[in-house]
Amino acid sequence: MRPLLILIPTLIFGKGLSVVSELDTTQGFIGDVIQWTVKIDGKTNDGIRFPELNKINDTITIRNQGLIDEDGLLKGILFEIIAWDTGQFVTPDYSIDILNPDGTLDFSLGAEPISFSISSILAVTDQTDFRPIKGPVPVKSVIPTRAILLSLILIGMVAGMILSLIHI
């Protein structure tokens, strides 16, 4: 009987919100873009804030992030993450802030971390040797020194012709 008395107010006054965290894949290769979505499930009239993530660590970077809008309501955030090393990884700790009507923080809901693995494309291929070294690639200079030099020579030649015509 007592558990029922504790459960009834929770059901009546509870907001019924949960956080759904999903990856589009749990296996990938170095440099692959993995889409990680964090959504709020349940109806709420309160304000919701999805904080941005700037940097995870040296081996995982965030390429892009954007809010998910469904039927005019803010429902989640989408992260595009890239791993630059092989191994087992876990999505970072992320919490959604639920705000009071006056804009102050009411509570935070944490997303469940999801593990994913990154492997090397070389492990899949039959070729285990190193790839051949490519030669240097020509790079254009920032300052066009040849064009400037040729322009100065042209201007000098034209100035010389004009001065020679004046002295005749």
Side-chain angles (χ1 to χ4, degrees), residues 70-132:
E70 293 178 359
D71 300 327
L73 295 174
L74 184 61
K75 285 292 188 176
I77 190 166
L78 171 71
F79 297 101
E80 292 179 350
I81 57 177
I82 301 173
W84 300 108
D85 198 4
T86 59
Q88 290 286 340
F89 298 97
V90 177
T91 56
D93 293 333
Y94 187 77
S95 296
I96 297 172
D97 297 334
I98 308 299
L99 306 175
N100 288 320
D102 62 352
T104 59
L105 180 66
D106 187 12
F107 60 94
S108 293
L109 290 174
E112 188 71 28
I114 302 173
S115 63
F116 59 98
S117 64
I118 300 295
S119 58
S120 174
I121 191 97
L122 294 176
V124 177
T125 62
D126 294 335
Q127 180 184 5
T128 57
D129 298 346
F130 288 110
R131 295 182 179 183

Side-chain angles (χ1 to χ4, degrees), residues 2-17:
R2 285 186 185 248
L4 187 60
L5 291 175
I6 295 172
L7 187 61
I8 290 176
T10 305
L11 293 174
I12 293 173
F13 297 112
K15 297 195 182 218
L17 296 175

